[in-house]
Amino acid sequence: VERREKAAHTDAMHALERKRSKLAEIESKVNALEQEARKVGADLDAGDDEEQAEREEEEEEEEEVTAGEVEAELVGLRKRKEVDSARFEGRSVEEMEMEYVQMERKRRKMEKVEAQHAQLAERMGSGWTARKRSWVRMRKALRLETNNYFAHFLGKRRHVGRLVFDDAEEELEIAVRMASHEVRGGGLHETRDLRALSGGEKSFVTLSFMLALGESMCIPFRVMDEFDVFMDEANRRAAYDTIVKTANEAVHRQFIFITPHSLPNIRASPLVNIQRLLPPDRN
């Protein structure tokens, strides 16, 4: 038994020595690898330092080139500014930009005002056209009305007449056919020359025209002085009857007639007031 224990102890010692030898061998390899790794790291660090140095050198060169280009560009801009300043009367770009902004505002404002004026002109043109059409219609109606009244008043003495309006020449002619101017065949002779009429006929035509014109114009006051001076008795009586009847029908208007003749067929009434003046005292 003792012999076996010694043999087992011996075997255990040999195994321990083998393990120790194995461990020493492994440690030696580890140390060798660590040295190799440190060597490789040193080589890498040296390479990185060289690359960093090269990059810094290249950046310095680029910075030097860029600074030169910037300086050259600045010099060019200064020269251009001087040229522009001399060209634009010493004004800077900022001043011209401000002036441009102000002018642009004024331009927009003027465009707005111009558009408003154009709209106003268009409305005024439309209004003028409408008023002109209304005026043409009114002129036509006044012509017709005046002609009707003129024929009506002339008809009191069985005369016939009409008013001829010439817009181009801005003239008015009176064409009448007097009842006493008969021609062969039973018709009446028409004349446009009032000088061919007698004094009484001419005065009656003038009175008829004035009454017709006053009716169409709606004049509130009408004054006639010595309208019957050149009328004969027949025309005078017809004229008095016409004006008194017209005045009685137009109670909203006032008529004043002055005549040196007597009024044998006119009587005073609530609508007719007669004022007679005494003859002047010659002494």
Side-chain angles (χ1 to χ4, degrees):
V1 172
E2 184 179 356
R3 197 179 292 124
R4 285 196 300 270
E5 290 178 354
K6 287 183 179 180
H9 178 70
T10 302
D11 293 334
M13 291 298 293
H14 287 299
L16 180 61
E17 288 294 331
R18 285 194 300 269
K19 290 181 179 181
R20 287 177 178 175
S21 177
K22 187 75 172 178
L23 180 60
E25 184 180 356
I26 292 171
E27 288 179 354
S28 178
K29 290 181 179 180
V30 169
N31 291 332
L33 289 174
E34 287 179 353
Q35 291 178 0
E36 186 69 22
R38 283 195 293 271
K39 183 179 179 181
V40 171
D43 293 340
L44 291 175
D45 291 339
D48 291 341
D49 292 339
E50 292 178 359
E51 291 179 358
Q52 181 68 22
E54 291 177 357
R55 283 198 298 269
E56 290 178 354
E57 185 178 357
E58 291 176 357
E59 289 177 357
E60 289 177 358
E61 292 178 356
E62 289 179 357
E63 289 179 357
E64 291 178 358
V65 173
T66 303
E69 292 177 353
V70 170
E71 184 65 24
E73 186 175 356
L74 287 175
V75 172
L77 289 174
R78 292 192 187 98
K79 291 182 179 179
R80 182 178 177 181
K81 182 179 180 181
E82 292 176 358
V83 173
D84 291 341
S85 178
R87 178 182 177 186
F88 296 107
E89 301 177 354
R91 292 177 296 177
S92 64
V93 177
E94 291 79 7
E95 293 175 347
M96 288 188 292
E97 287 179 352
M98 290 296 297
E99 184 177 355
Y100 170 77
V101 171
Q102 294 176 358
M103 294 300 294
E104 182 67 16
R105 291 176 181 173
K106 291 182 179 180
R107 184 187 67 81
R108 293 178 181 176
K109 184 177 180 180
M110 291 300 297
E111 287 181 351
K112 185 178 180 180
V113 173
E114 184 180 359
Q116 293 175 352
H117 288 176
Q119 294 177 358
L120 178 61
E122 183 178 358
R123 291 197 299 268
M124 291 178 64
S126 301
W128 181 86
T129 302
R131 287 193 295 271
K132 184 178 181 180
R133 287 197 298 264
S134 300
W135 175 76
V136 170
R137 290 195 298 268
M138 181 183 67
R139 183 181 64 179
K140 184 177 180 181
L142 287 175
R143 286 178 180 176
L144 181 60
E145 185 178 13
T146 306
N147 256 312
N148 291 337
Y149 277 116
F150 182 63
H152 169 71
F153 292 128
L154 282 180
K156 300 292 184 179
R157 292 287 292 163
R158 295 183 297 108
H159 305 316
V160 179
R162 60 191 178 92
L163 302 175
V164 182
F165 297 89
D166 189 346
D167 296 329
E169 298 295 333
E170 297 183 352
E171 294 179 352
L172 171 64
E173 286 187 341
I174 299 177
V176 294
R177 288 180 290 174
M178 309 307 293
S180 59
H181 297 181
E182 294 185 359
V183 296
R184 293 180 181 181
L188 299 178
H189 174 69
E190 181 179 86
T191 180
R192 297 191 180 187
D193 187 2
L194 299 184
R195 293 174 298 179
L197 305 178
S198 65
E201 292 173 340
K202 187 189 306 182
S203 297
F204 189 80
V205 171
T206 304
L207 175 64
S208 299
F209 173 70
M210 294 301 295
L211 290 175
L213 192 62
E215 288 296 321
S216 62
M217 295 177 63
C218 300
I219 301 174
F221 297 94
R222 305 183 199 177
V223 181
M224 296 184 184
D225 184 18
E226 297 185 357
F227 60 92
D228 57 345
V229 171
F230 299 103
M231 290 184 183
D232 54 24
E233 189 63 27
N235 284 318
R236 186 178 296 112
R237 288 180 178 274
Y240 292 162
D241 292 340
T242 301
I243 60 178
V244 171
K245 184 177 181 181
T246 302
N248 286 329
E249 292 174 353
V251 295
H252 55 288
R253 298 171 190 167
Q254 185 174 3
F255 295 79
I256 301 175
F257 303 105
I258 303 174
T259 176
H261 298 287
S262 61
L263 304 174
N265 59 334
I266 299 179
R267 298 293 180 266
S269 67
L271 296 178
V272 179
N273 186 15
I274 301 175
Q275 299 288 336
R276 287 187 174 86
L277 301 180
L278 294 175
D281 187 1
R282 302 295 182 180
N283 297 326

